[in-house]
Amino acid sequence: MKQLLFILFALVYSGTALASGGGDTIDLTTHWIGYTALAIFVLSYSLVILEEKLHLRKSKPVLLAAGLIWILIAAFYSSQGMPHSAEVAIRHNFLEYAELFFFLLVAMTYINAMLERDVFNALRDWLVAKRFSYRSLFWLTGILAFFISPIADNLTTALIMCAVVLAVGKEQPKFIAIGCINIVVSANAGGAFSPFGDITTLMVWQKGIIQFQEFFVLFIPSVVNFIIPAFIMQFALPTGRPEAVSKYTTPIKKGGLTIVGLFILTIITAVSFHNFLHLPPVFGMMLGLAYLKLFGYYLRKSAKIEIDHNDIPTGHKIEDDFDIFDKIAKAEWDTLFFFYGVILAVGGLGFIGYLGLASEFMYGQLGATNANILVGILSAIVDNIPVMFAVLSMQPEMPHSQWLLVTLTAGVGGSMLSIGSAAGVALMGQARGYYTFFSHLKWTPVIALGYAASIYVHLLINT
């Protein structure tokens, strides 16, 4: 009950985002429609938080909530003779989502292509075969997660590194638990200083608030966020090294490393579109998808594989058939639809008028620094996506260093609880029985120390 009340408080004061793109608005914050919409969102997000227990995919309740909230808004505005105000607002919200959707879809397609070419499996098997000590593996998986997540995103990186920890730690459950906590913290910290490392950093970059190269000033605070908890947790690791496992290393399939290069080229293209052509980076990502599709065509021709000339996802039976549509089909569609539900539902709440309340309370009464620290704490309890959407839509008057601060706190704040980030939730499923909510909670004070230290370092060097 206490957690539900805290979630209600968080949603009232911070889960209100994306105001309309134009048209007249009516304050409905004290109207029954506003209360009903808020209740719908709280209920739907409660189901999201209970996803692991209910086995209900997180996209379903928020999709329903988004539809119901905008039905209420549209019906009210139509009754007031203002049907086009709601139309303009929802089109603005949907455009925000469309840019995010296609950007993530291309990134997910590249990651799936690298997975299919065994790029990450080869890395995992190499680490396992080297027979490092538990402490060495703890640091290696953490450091790799920190440096891979800025490119491959924190969720994918955490899953890869967790596979290494599970493979070598079967006889040491304590090592698996601490290793997973370290991976979650390091992957989230690494994702905080890159536009590609987390959904929240991507949103900030696409909004044009922080330029691509400016994210890297968060590198040192992110390192501090990772190093301090890792340094303390290492003393709880078991001694020795894991038992010998198979020395077999999965070979990278033909074209795997080329796809890694094409992904880096795609990132450069997206950045160039934004910095030099002043076009949304999503268009650069879509051009990068063409690189992958053409290379996929080459792979299939060079391997003399039968090609589906209709070029549609038909579920081929041919072995090693590199079909880009198969990679697109394996994207995280539940996550993509979840983002749709969050953006539209939270956007509806912002259109109703809670945006002004949130801005006045957080940035008017608390002040920018305290408000941005609170954003990170809320990210650990609710989710950083709706909280960051709230901040972006508020557009509070604050210095550039404060925008960098909120980018940092929203990225790393979720590490304080296992349910606070996509990486933590995924690892609870992957390492079920070893890495749990309470095993992570035991180390929350240590992680919070790293969170506080990273904020202090940022304010010290970037203000």
Side-chain angles (χ1 to χ4, degrees):
M1 178 60 69
K2 182 183 296 185
Q3 185 185 41
L4 187 58
L5 290 173
F6 199 99
I7 292 168
L8 177 61
F9 171 84
L11 291 172
V12 169
Y13 286 108
S14 64
T16 55
L18 296 173
S20 73
D24 298 325
T25 60
I26 300 173
D27 186 355
L28 298 175
T29 54
T30 57
H31 193 277
W32 70 267
I33 286 180
Y35 294 140
T36 303
L38 191 60
I40 290 171
F41 186 68
V42 171
L43 177 60
S44 68
Y45 220 89
S46 298
L47 295 175
V48 170
I49 293 172
L50 296 173
E51 178 186 12
E52 286 297 310
K53 291 188 176 296
L54 300 177
H55 303 290
L56 177 69
R57 290 190 177 275
K58 60 181 176 292
S59 62
K60 296 178 181 180
V62 291
L63 280 172
L64 180 62
L68 294 176
I69 288 171
W70 279 102
I71 286 173
L72 291 171
I73 293 172
F76 176 82
Y77 274 80
S78 294
S79 69
Q80 302 298 310
M82 304 165 61
H84 296 296
S85 294
E87 178 189 359
V88 170
I90 198 169
R91 284 183 184 275
H92 173 78
N93 283 274
F94 190 79
L95 179 60
E96 293 276 350
Y97 168 72
E99 288 192 27
L100 183 64
F101 170 83
F102 283 106
F103 193 106
L104 291 173
L105 186 63
V106 174
M108 289 176 179
T109 301
Y110 263 102
I111 296 300
N112 287 337
M114 285 186 268
L115 286 168
E116 191 274 340
R117 294 285 100 182
D118 286 330
V119 172
F120 297 121
N121 288 338
L123 173 62
R124 177 201 64 199
D125 292 349
W126 179 83
L127 286 170
V128 171
K130 285 296 181 180
R131 289 207 64 210
F132 294 107
S133 67
Y134 286 117
R135 181 167 293 189
S136 296
L137 279 168
F138 173 84
W139 281 106
L140 273 173
T141 53
I143 292 170
L144 285 171
F146 183 84
F147 284 105
I148 294 175
S149 60
I151 300 173
D153 86 67
N154 50 9
L155 173 59
T156 302
T157 303
L159 291 171
I160 296 164
M161 292 299 107
C162 181
V164 176
V165 169
L166 287 171
V168 300
K170 294 178 181 178
E171 305 300 322
Q172 288 287 355
K174 188 176 183 180
F175 168 73
I176 295 177
I178 298 177
C180 286
I181 297 168
N182 185 49
I183 289 168
V184 170
V185 174
S186 59
N188 288 338
F193 70 88
S194 164
F196 298 89
D198 191 79
I199 302 302
T200 55
T201 57
L202 176 59
M203 291 188 295
V204 172
W205 181 45
Q206 290 200 141
K207 277 281 189 179
I209 294 173
I210 298 176
Q211 299 304 310
F212 181 82
Q213 68 277 6
E214 293 175 328
F215 280 92
F216 297 102
V217 304
L218 295 176
F219 176 77
I220 294 178
S222 296
V223 169
V224 170
N225 184 270
F226 157 53
I227 288 292
I228 289 179
F231 178 78
I232 297 173
M233 287 190 293
Q234 70 172 334
F235 296 108
L237 291 169
T239 57
R241 60 186 70 243
E243 292 184 9
V245 293
S246 173
K247 294 184 178 180
Y248 172 76
T249 302
T250 303
I252 298 177
K253 293 180 183 178
K254 179 181 178 180
L257 294 179
T258 303
I259 291 173
V260 174
L262 289 176
F263 185 42
I264 295 172
L265 179 60
T266 297
I267 293 173
I268 294 172
T269 303
V271 174
S272 299
F273 266 52
H274 184 70
N275 288 351
F276 303 120
L277 301 178
H278 307 290
L279 294 173
V282 64
F283 293 110
M285 292 296 288
M286 293 301 290
L287 177 58
L289 182 61
Y291 307 158
L292 183 60
K293 287 178 70 66
L294 289 171
F295 183 67
Y297 176 82
Y298 161 76
L299 277 181
R300 297 170 68 190
K301 288 289 284 186
S302 63
K304 296 181 180 179
I305 295 173
E306 178 185 344
I307 297 176
D308 174 17
H309 293 286
N310 293 322
D311 207 22
I312 58 175
T314 53
H316 301 105
K317 302 294 184 183
I318 305 169
E319 185 179 356
D320 203 26
D321 178 19
F322 192 87
D323 185 352
I324 296 303
F325 278 112
D326 290 341
K327 309 301 172 282
I328 293 174
K330 292 175 182 175
E332 298 172 37
W333 288 100
D334 182 58
T335 299
L336 292 171
F337 285 124
F338 169 72
F339 292 152
Y340 168 86
V342 167
I343 291 174
L344 270 293
V346 173
L349 294 178
F351 187 67
I352 284 171
Y354 290 109
L355 178 63
L357 291 178
S359 181
E360 180 183 351
F361 173 75
M362 292 185 66
Y363 290 93
Q365 299 182 30
L366 297 180
T369 300
N370 291 332
N372 291 332
I373 293 172
L374 178 62
V375 164
I377 297 172
L378 293 178
S379 296
I381 300 169
V382 186
D383 191 273
N384 58 0
I385 295 168
V387 175
M388 181 53 89
F389 268 124
V391 176
L392 289 174
S393 62
M394 291 175 202
Q395 288 288 329
E397 295 278 342
M398 58 183 181
H400 199 65
S401 62
Q402 290 292 337
W403 280 109
L404 287 166
L405 175 60
V406 74
T407 302
L408 173 69
T409 57
V412 303
S415 299
M416 287 186 281
L417 294 177
S418 63
I419 61 171
S421 66
V425 172
L427 263 58
M428 281 196 296
Q430 188 179 17
R432 191 181 303 276
Y434 297 100
Y435 172 62
T436 65
F437 175 84
F438 291 103
S439 67
H440 191 111
L441 186 65
K442 176 183 176 182
W443 293 98
T444 292
V446 172
I447 300 168
L449 179 63
Y451 176 72
S454 66
I455 294 170
Y456 174 77
V457 170
H458 166 71
L459 294 175
L460 185 65
I461 66 176
N462 293 326
T463 300

